Amino acid sequence: MTDTTKVINRTEEEWKKILTPEQYHVLREKGTDLPFTGKYYLNKEKGMYTCAACGNELFTSDMKFDSECGWPSFDKEIAGGKIKKVIDNSHGMVRVEILCAKCGSHLGHLFDDGPTLTHMRYCVNSTSVDFKKK
């Protein structure tokens, strides 16, 4: 299933004008927040997590759990093809990278070691998302 929302195509120069340097590094250059430092790592408020680059709704607070890994973690995504998964062979590892399906921005990685019923852990950079409080 794919998201019916129109895909956003921007040049890297356009992204540099829209995003902060930190956001550009994480979202477009596949950077990573330092562990235990992200603004949403310990967030317990109710609401919606959206892509920081385009506003695509990705996760709800009900999907978030404390994995103690240093980054916000979610056990599933909002249905509708909002996240694209691709194999990432960087840094001598094989991982599943998660990207915003609407704009192609890097969100983090997906692991199958979660403690919840789904056994999934969407490990997300705080810089990659915004939070809309309920």
Side-chain angles (χ1 to χ4, degrees), residues 54-134:
C54 72
N56 191 21
E57 293 181 343
L58 305 168
F59 307 100
T60 67
S61 54
D62 295 336
M63 299 168 177
K64 190 171 188 286
F65 68 95
D66 185 4
S67 68
E68 300 179 4
C69 71
W71 293 271
S73 296
F74 303 86
D75 66 352
K76 59 187 166 193
E77 63 190 80
I78 292 175
K82 296 181 177 278
I83 292 178
K84 181 179 176 182
K85 299 164 189 88
V86 297
I87 299 299
D88 174 6
N89 292 309
S90 65
H91 307 290
M93 298 178 271
V94 178
R95 302 178 288 176
V96 176
E97 179 185 10
I98 52 175
L99 305 167
C100 174
K102 187 173 179 180
C103 71
S105 290
H106 173 76
L107 303 171
H109 290 88
L110 176 60
F111 303 95
D112 62 1
D113 61 3
T116 69
L117 291 176
T118 67
H119 300 289
M120 302 310 289
R121 177 171 55 96
Y122 290 75
C123 186
V124 177
N125 292 292
S126 286
T127 303
S128 295
V129 293
D130 285 327
F131 180 73
K132 296 179 184 176
K133 190 175 175 180
K134 266 190 183 174

Side-chain angles (χ1 to χ4, degrees), residues 38-50:
K39 60 186 172 184
Y40 300 123
Y41 170 58
L42 297 175
N43 185 31
K44 305 268 190 231
E45 294 183 288
K46 295 290 183 191
M48 178 75 63
Y49 292 87
T50 62

